[in-house]
Each structure stands twice: as structure tokens, then as C-alpha cells.
Amino acid sequence: MAEKKKQTYAQAIAELEEIVTKLQNNECEIDELKSYTTRALSLLRFCKEKLFETDEEVKKILEELES
């Protein structure tokens, strides 16, 4: 069974940009709209989690440096 690669923040942002471009350029059929918005929501949640995780890690590192 092939290992699924972990998605990076940069990949998620790139995919979000693709979705936004398709929506802005009317390249999205109405039947695809639900799947695009659902995917965009999932990507946004992923990005938000990554940002919060990174923020917490940076805070911990800064706290260690102050000790």
C-alpha cells in the first residue's frame, strides 16, 4: 500500500489559490461548486491548524531562550 504524502502548508495555499482562481474566472460548473467549497473549507482548517501549531512552537522556543 502506497504511503500518502503529508500535505504541506504551501501545497494547501496553492490549492486554495487554484480554487479561488477557478471561482473568480467562472471556470466552475454549478455542480462542482459544493465540492470546491467543501475542499476549500478543509484546506482553510488545515492551514489554520498549521499556523496555530507553528505559533505555539515559536512561543515555546522564545520562552526557552529567555530562561
Side-chain angles (χ1 to χ4, degrees):
M1 189 167 161
E3 235 181 88
K4 187 176 179 182
K5 278 188 167 182
K6 277 193 167 186
Q7 185 171 38
T8 65
Y9 180 84
Q11 290 169 330
I13 292 295
E15 189 176 345
L16 272 169
E17 289 172 348
E18 287 176 23
I19 291 171
V20 169
T21 299
K22 285 180 182 181
L23 294 174
Q24 287 177 334
N25 295 333
N26 294 321
E27 295 173 12
C28 172
E29 297 291 327
I30 194 73
D31 297 328
E32 299 171 319
L33 185 58
K34 181 182 177 189
S35 64
Y36 280 127
T37 53
T38 300
R39 180 63 180 152
L41 180 59
S42 173
L43 291 165
L44 287 168
R45 286 182 178 143
F46 172 81
C47 289
K48 181 180 174 182
E49 280 182 32
K50 279 288 192 186
L51 288 171
F52 280 113
E53 286 173 11
T54 302
D55 184 53
E56 290 300 314
E57 289 173 15
V58 170
K59 284 179 184 176
K60 285 179 186 177
I61 291 169
L62 292 174
E63 286 174 6
E64 288 178 18
L65 288 173
E66 291 176 0
S67 301

